[in-house]
Amino acid sequence: MTFLNPSFLWAFALLLIPLALHLFNLHRPRKVYFTNVRYLQQLETQTKAMRKLREWLVLLCRMFFLAALVMAFARPVLPGEYAESGHGQALHSFYIDNSYSMQRPGVGSDLNLLTQAKEQVTALSHSLNTGGRFQLLSNAFDSREAQIYEADELSEALAAMRFSLYRPALGDVLRRQEKLARKRLPHARAHLFLFSDFQKNSAASLFKYTFQKDIHYHLVPLQAAPVANVSIDSVWLGAPFIQNNSTNTLYFKLRNHSSREVRQLPVQLFLQDRAIAGKSVDLAAGESRTFSVEFSSNESGWLRGRLHIEDTPITFDNDYYFSYNARRRLQVLYLHAGNEPNPYLMAAYNAEPQIQLQHKTFNTLNEDELREVDLLIVETHANMGGTPIERIRRFVEEGGSLALIPAQGAPPAFLSSWGIQLTQAATLPPDSSLQLRAESLNHPFFEGVFSKKTNSTVMPLARPLWICKGGDAILKMQNGEAFLSMYRLQSGKVYVFAAPLQSQYTSLVKHALFVPVLYRMAQTAPQRALLYAYRSNERSLLLPVGVQPAADRPLSLRREQEEWLLTPQLLGKRLRIDLPTESLQAGFYALTYAADTLALVAFNVPAEESDMETVPADSLAALADSLPNVHVYAGNEQQALVQQYRAQFIATPLWKYFIVAALLFLLCETLIIRLWK
């Protein structure tokens, strides 16, 4: 036991006053004479002994009364294990994990974990009568979290807290708590609380965190009842270019996070809020598996898609949002070497209504023309170089598709700097040629092109000028060399033909395979080969939007009545955008510039939210055992938390008990005087 006002202990000297009055009582008793006192002698002896006992008891009551008052004014306290008896102010900073995994019900309760965390914070704040102040943090990470609350104000802020898509690592949370605590109350004793389900993917950072020695950290793991959950891991298109009025394939990957089998799980595909396809799937326990669903659409422009599964009781990850730009026609730019373009190539593309072909000579290339191009076709020649080549390289590196067709002579020298290995082929005899292998049609490049493929298909012939090494051989010749290869150049693709697309070099130009090859090169262009679907915890995006906003006309991200102004950076044909990650919700956002919609972007719940595996209680206990200022609280009961915290950190005041004792001694004195005659 310690004293907050130990100077009052000098008042114990007041106990000498009743003792002195008792010992030096100047009152003398008056004598009364009786005619015969012989019969009163025994009674007088007994009365004198009882009177002395009565007087001593009264003296003790008075002295105990004064002693109890002195102790009360000295303010004695019974300190907890970590309690501080000084007068310094305390700051209690509460972080509540309001991510969607906190929707799970707690053990033995119908309330979800977020509601239980709110109740525990409310109970703890109202039980602290130490003059402390409170902060409340969530996953929002906004400026309001620096605010200092009283207990009643804290309750109002808790009531307004909602679920958030963004979930930072708990190590980042502690850093933010420390920063805000020292900023607002730098000299206060800081107590940082983490109320969370401590999922492994967010709590792992705690075990590498550097805990400050002058701060107490309180970890409150909320125990969730075991529930099954199936989530949508990812979604992608079988063919990046959506063909109007044709069958398209959407692939999706589902993950079963539970230890039980899931049978006949309903899956539905929505496009523009209309259900257009569906199926039922089975998943084994812990299985991750890819499925597909076919659909068709005749709409163009920016379209909203949503894949939905019927999985309960965890529903926050049942929807996966995506969007894509369904355009009527693909854009192909053909740069030919001579004055006249290749007639076979012109005829093949002009016959396809979904492709818009433009052609011009190589030296007249304008960089602005490349912004909307899906496929760039270039006929090579000996003098290729300079500015056009640099423009073409940037086009490919930023996600473009380039097809190189030999015109004559050796491979251009610039290709070696691109990492493309080409050498000049040996000249074949005039009447000889090499046939393309039929098994080449099994390459993924031709997926979905042919309804039936056989090795007996009559394949075209070729007389190569180049030998392609190190690439992905799409079409191979009988000698094993590649007739059509694909190379990667950063984000883009480079297709290389080994022979000119002329009848004297290859019969491909008159073969049924010619149009599918040209069409697939345009259809699989990387800069268009994507769904605009992202996770809400992504900090930035690179979008194929070739617009540089002016300083006085910023880019904006809009959703219903909400709008965020953005400061993007143009990187070639792509726009880098830093996102307001903490404010995003699942759904669709329009990326606009002035009155134009540049893109429709879809955001989804972070994939790691669906993984309900938590840090074992033993690991948290071991962390607390290794650090004296880290404390772990077990159980979801709010009273248990309050009692455990008070027992360890709150010095129990005892002055009330001494006031009660003083009153009891005063009452005893009164009773003795009045009733003991």
Side-chain angles (χ1 to χ4, degrees):
M1 183 172 65
T2 60
F3 299 91
L4 299 182
N5 296 325
S7 59
F8 277 90
L9 296 177
W10 292 103
F12 273 113
L14 296 175
L15 298 181
L16 296 176
I17 297 176
L19 181 61
L21 292 176
H22 180 78
L23 296 178
F24 302 102
N25 189 358
L26 301 179
H27 177 68
R28 297 181 180 277
R30 185 177 54 175
K31 291 183 179 181
V32 179
Y33 295 95
F34 290 88
T35 55
N36 191 345
V37 295
R38 181 181 58 181
Y39 300 104
L40 299 176
Q41 183 176 2
Q42 183 179 2
L43 179 61
E44 180 181 355
T45 302
Q46 293 177 352
T47 301
K48 185 176 181 180
M50 294 299 291
R51 185 174 66 249
K52 288 184 178 181
L53 177 60
R54 174 175 173 271
E55 290 174 355
W56 278 105
L57 290 176
V58 170
L59 174 63
L60 289 176
C61 287
R62 290 173 178 173
M63 295 183 69
F64 285 140
F65 168 74
L66 290 175
L69 285 180
V70 172
M71 290 290 290
F73 279 101
R75 294 182 62 189
V77 294
L78 190 63
E81 183 180 358
Y82 302 101
E84 300 177 32
S85 58
H87 296 280
Q89 197 175 36
L91 172 66
H92 294 82
S93 177
F94 300 114
Y95 162 76
I96 295 182
D97 179 4
N98 58 332
S99 61
Y100 274 89
S101 65
M102 297 284 283
Q103 280 188 353
R104 292 178 292 169
V107 174
S109 174
D110 294 332
L111 301 177
N112 60 45
L113 298 183
L114 179 61
T115 302
Q116 291 188 15
K118 290 180 179 181
E119 290 184 349
Q120 291 196 6
V121 170
T122 300
L124 186 57
S125 63
H126 284 288
S127 70
L128 299 177
N129 299 317
T130 60
R133 296 295 181 264
F134 307 104
Q135 279 184 331
L136 180 63
L137 284 76
S138 67
N139 293 336
F141 268 36
D142 58 28
S143 57
R144 292 172 295 180
E145 295 182 341
Q147 182 176 347
I148 302 297
Y149 294 99
E150 298 289 347
D152 294 337
E153 296 172 331
L154 181 66
S155 298
E156 296 177 3
L158 286 168
M161 184 181 292
R162 298 292 181 266
F163 288 103
S164 170
L165 280 181
Y166 179 65
R167 188 198 55 187
L170 294 185
D172 295 336
V173 171
L174 288 180
R175 272 187 287 271
R176 181 169 176 79
Q177 282 185 293
E178 292 171 359
K179 179 180 177 181
L180 292 177
R182 289 179 169 140
K183 178 180 179 181
R184 292 307 305 268
L185 294 174
H187 303 295
R189 305 188 310 277
H191 293 267
L192 309 184
F193 287 80
L194 297 182
F195 291 84
S196 174
D197 54 0
F198 286 84
Q199 284 178 273
K200 270 191 174 180
N201 41 55
S202 67
S205 58
L206 288 179
F207 298 94
K208 300 178 182 179
Y209 189 74
T210 303
F211 292 90
Q212 304 301 312
K213 295 181 179 180
D214 59 336
I215 295 177
H216 281 285
Y217 301 87
H218 307 271
L219 312 182
V220 188
L222 299 165
Q223 303 297 320
V227 292
N229 185 43
V230 177
S231 66
I232 304 173
D233 185 88
S234 54
V235 170
W236 66 96
L237 291 170
F241 180 69
I242 301 298
Q243 303 181 53
N244 291 327
N245 300 314
S246 299
T247 300
N248 302 281
T249 304
L250 183 79
Y251 293 92
F252 58 94
K253 187 177 182 180
L254 301 183
R255 187 182 300 274
N256 183 3
H257 298 275
S258 66
S259 57
R260 66 174 179 82
E261 182 185 14
V262 176
R263 298 188 60 81
Q264 297 297 305
L265 177 70
V267 182
Q268 279 189 303
L269 175 62
F270 293 82
L271 193 63
Q272 297 294 86
D273 298 325
R274 298 190 306 271
I276 61 171
K279 66 189 308 181
S280 296
V281 300
D282 299 333
L283 283 170
E287 182 182 16
S288 179
R289 186 176 167 194
T290 299
F291 304 91
S292 65
V293 61
E294 295 183 342
F295 70 99
S296 62
S297 172
N298 60 358
E299 298 179 88
S300 61
W302 285 102
L303 302 183
R304 302 184 308 274
R306 177 169 61 94
L307 190 71
H308 176 75
I309 59 175
E310 292 289 342
D311 175 52
T312 56
I314 302 300
T315 60
F316 67 83
D317 53 3
N318 284 2
D319 291 295
Y320 191 96
Y321 300 92
F322 62 91
S323 63
Y324 63 89
N325 189 7
R327 296 175 300 147
R328 292 293 184 185
R329 307 178 76 181
L330 287 167
Q331 304 295 318
V332 176
L333 178 60
Y334 168 35
L335 303 179
H336 48 87
N339 294 327
E340 295 296 328
N342 185 313
Y344 298 103
L345 193 148
M346 294 291 295
Y349 276 131
N350 286 331
E352 179 54 56
Q354 292 187 347
I355 293 179
Q356 181 176 354
L357 176 66
Q358 293 180 326
H359 67 91
K360 60 191 310 185
T361 59
F362 176 80
N363 293 327
T364 60
L365 175 64
N366 189 318
E367 187 171 14
D368 292 336
E369 294 174 321
L370 296 177
R371 295 194 182 279
E372 296 299 325
V373 171
D374 293 294
L375 174 65
L376 177 64
I377 301 177
V378 177
E379 287 183 348
T380 64
H381 58 86
N383 298 323
M384 294 184 70
T387 301
I389 289 299
E390 291 302 316
R391 290 172 178 172
I392 292 173
R393 177 166 185 161
R394 285 196 298 269
F395 165 78
V396 177
E397 290 177 342
E398 293 164 1
S401 283
L402 170 67
L404 294 177
I405 303 173
Q408 58 183 355
F414 70 86
L415 289 178
S416 60
S417 65
W418 291 12
I420 297 177
Q421 303 175 25
L422 301 179
T423 58
Q424 193 165 1
T427 303
L428 295 176
D431 296 331
S432 64
S433 58
L434 299 172
Q435 188 175 34
L436 273 62
R437 292 181 176 179
E439 57 265 27
S440 298
L441 301 183
N442 296 321
H443 193 279
F445 178 82
F446 296 104
E447 183 177 356
V449 173
F450 305 102
S451 59
K452 184 178 181 181
K453 293 176 287 189
T454 65
N455 290 334
S456 61
T457 302
V458 178
M459 297 295 288
L461 304 174
R463 292 173 55 84
L465 295 183
W466 295 348
I467 296 176
C468 306
K469 298 291 185 180
D472 180 9
I474 297 174
L475 289 173
K476 288 185 176 182
M477 296 177 288
Q478 286 178 329
N479 62 357
E481 301 292 348
F483 178 78
L484 174 61
S485 292
M486 190 272 288
Y487 298 87
R488 291 283 184 181
L489 185 59
Q490 292 191 17
S491 300
K493 297 178 181 178
V494 179
Y495 296 96
V496 180
F497 287 91
L501 298 182
Q502 300 287 348
S503 58
Q504 62 267 37
Y505 288 98
T506 177
S507 62
L508 175 66
V509 295
K510 297 181 179 180
H511 194 275
L513 186 61
F514 186 52
V515 172
V517 167
L518 296 181
Y519 183 77
R520 287 294 289 175
M521 286 194 301
Q523 190 186 48
T524 57
Q527 74 270 27
R528 305 296 178 187
L530 55 85
L531 292 178
Y532 287 70
Y534 306 94
R535 296 292 183 177
S536 61
N537 56 347
E538 297 189 48
R539 289 292 187 178
S540 62
L541 300 181
L542 273 176
L543 299 179
V545 180
V547 174
Q548 177 62 65
D552 58 341
R553 300 175 66 188
L555 210 65
S556 65
L557 194 66
R558 295 179 180 177
R559 182 177 186 266
E560 297 177 352
Q561 303 302 318
E562 298 177 297
E563 181 178 7
W564 295 267
L565 298 180
L566 307 175
T567 305
Q569 180 182 3
L570 187 63
L571 302 176
K573 293 182 61 178
R574 296 196 172 198
L575 205 63
R576 184 182 185 276
I577 302 170
D578 293 327
L579 296 172
T581 302
E582 296 84 357
S583 304
L584 295 178
Q585 297 294 322
F588 300 99
Y589 291 77
L591 185 65
T592 62
Y593 178 58
D596 299 328
T597 298
L598 303 181
L600 185 67
V601 185
F603 291 102
N604 297 279
V605 177
E608 56 267 20
E609 274 292 274
S610 302
D611 186 359
M612 303 300 175
E613 187 177 4
T614 59
V615 174
D618 294 344
S619 299
L620 292 177
L623 177 64
D625 291 340
S626 64
L627 297 168
N629 57 331
V630 176
H631 317 279
V632 177
Y633 300 81
N636 291 18
E637 295 296 329
Q638 58 186 15
Q639 291 305 320
L641 169 66
V642 171
Q643 292 173 4
Q644 184 177 349
Y645 177 78
R646 291 187 64 86
Q648 290 183 304
F649 292 92
I650 302 299
T652 306
L654 303 177
W655 64 270
K656 296 179 181 179
Y657 301 103
F658 284 101
I659 290 292
V660 172
L663 294 176
L664 289 176
F665 288 128
L666 186 61
L667 177 62
C668 290
E669 178 188 350
T670 303
L671 293 176
I672 291 173
I673 293 174
R674 290 185 175 273
L675 300 180
W676 194 331
K677 301 296 183 181

